[in-house]
Amino acid sequence: MSEADEPIHALLADLSQLPADGTLVDLGCGAGPTLTAVSRRHPRARLVGLDRSAAALSTARTRLTRHGRGVQLVQADLRRSLPLAGGCADAVVSYNVLECLTDPAELVREAVRLLKAEGTLVLAHVDFDSIMVAGPPADLDRRVCHAFTDDRQPWMDHANGRIGRALPGLVGAAGLTLQRTETLTTASTVLTGHPERRLADMRRALLGSAARGTTTVTAAEVTDWHAGVQAAARDGRFFFSETVVVAVGR
Ligand SMILES: C[S@@+](CC[C@H](N)C(=O)[O-])C[C@H]1O[C@@H](n2cnc3c(N)ncnc32)[C@H](O)[C@@H]1O
């Protein structure tokens, strides 16, 4: 299953309540998995994606070449005023971005500025403290998972890995009515697809942070933890789950 096929992106597309020919803005669209899911459901929608990574925007552009209507992918820093007119969007979505921002409430206020009067805001984030892994020894696993929750990678301005649980409050604080709060839990007993990508990403991120001296775990601990994951996957003890929190405001 590719990243764009993961159920969260289809859920975000559905919760956006986008009119068939409406405009959807994705703040921190990355390589475009959510925009791709929206494109599949709404081929006549206007899609706008903002991100500061030129490489990610280039991948998103390739993924969306066959979209039936206008696609606007803009390189922008989400810490600044967004380069879009107020009231331009029927829906604004943002997935796994707010943890990187020192002032997430400011971006949520900007998102509200972009919305039309009856528009929908969909904020979603993995709450990284929700990650459960069976395999490595418990104490080591706790240390590594908590270190990942608090880890700030060089491409991030900030790290708040527990922001998932704060999303409903952020929607209310921006003056919208909180319409729905959902959670989506991914659970698996096999080390393929999303669990494999997430656990490899945790290993890679924490090894980098250990080398820079910016995390609480050592490279040896990270390596032992990942070996424990792989051993469990080989002998049938493996389990992985993580939970995304989704808050919908109108
Ligand atoms: C974890 S990725 C999520 C991307 C996408 N929403 C997805 O579901 O795959 C976080 C994204 O936020 C972007 N980002 C982080 N801080 C940013 C900032 N200050 N301005 C613009 N984009 C930013 C990164 O470039 C990256 O593409």
Side-chain angles (χ1 to χ4, degrees), residues 7-223:
I8 181 62
H9 300 291
L11 178 66
L12 299 182
D14 290 344
L15 291 175
S16 74
Q17 300 162 67
L18 187 66
D21 58 355
T23 297
L24 177 136
V25 177
D26 185 351
L27 300 176
C29 63
T34 305
L35 291 175
T36 303
V38 175
S39 172
R40 285 174 187 158
R41 276 161 185 69
H42 300 290
R44 289 191 293 119
R46 197 171 148 257
L47 304 179
V48 183
L50 269 55
D51 202 287
R52 72 174 165 195
S53 163
L57 289 173
S58 167
T59 305
R61 199 164 284 118
T62 305
R63 275 183 170 165
L64 291 161
T65 40
R66 280 197 255 160
H67 180 66
R69 202 176 156 209
V71 177
Q72 196 186 348
L73 296 167
V74 184
Q75 192 170 14
D77 187 341
L78 300 176
R79 295 170 301 176
R80 309 231 162 85
S81 301
L82 302 178
L84 297 172
C88 68
D90 297 281
V92 175
V93 302
S94 188
Y95 176 53
N96 276 357
V97 176
L98 289 170
E99 69 155 340
C100 310
L101 304 178
T102 40
D103 188 355
E106 192 183 348
L107 180 63
V108 180
R109 283 193 294 276
E110 271 293 275
V112 173
R113 180 182 70 78
L114 300 184
L115 283 176
K116 293 179 183 170
E118 297 299 316
T120 306
L121 176 66
V122 184
L123 299 179
H125 220 293
V126 175
D127 194 292
F128 289 100
D129 256 358
S130 71
I131 292 178
M132 287 201 270
V133 181
D139 285 353
L140 177 64
D141 186 56
R142 281 196 194 101
R143 278 170 51 64
V144 169
C145 287
H146 287 167
F148 181 70
T149 298
D150 297 335
D151 187 54
R152 184 171 75 79
Q153 287 292 291
W155 59 273
M156 300 162 73
D157 301 304
H158 181 72
N160 176 6
R162 289 162 55 94
I163 199 159
R165 67 197 72 189
L167 298 183
L170 282 170
V171 168
L176 296 184
T177 302
L178 183 65
Q179 195 184 37
R180 281 173 82 159
T181 304
E182 301 270 338
T183 55
L184 180 71
T185 298
T186 302
S188 178
T189 54
V190 288
L191 185 57
T192 57
H194 179 79
E196 186 176 32
R197 282 195 291 275
R198 173 69 73 211
L199 295 168
D201 188 48
M202 290 171 70
R203 177 180 177 276
R204 184 196 49 73
L206 288 173
L207 284 178
S209 296
R212 287 186 296 276
T214 58
T215 185
T216 50
V217 286
T218 65
E221 286 176 314
V222 176
T223 303

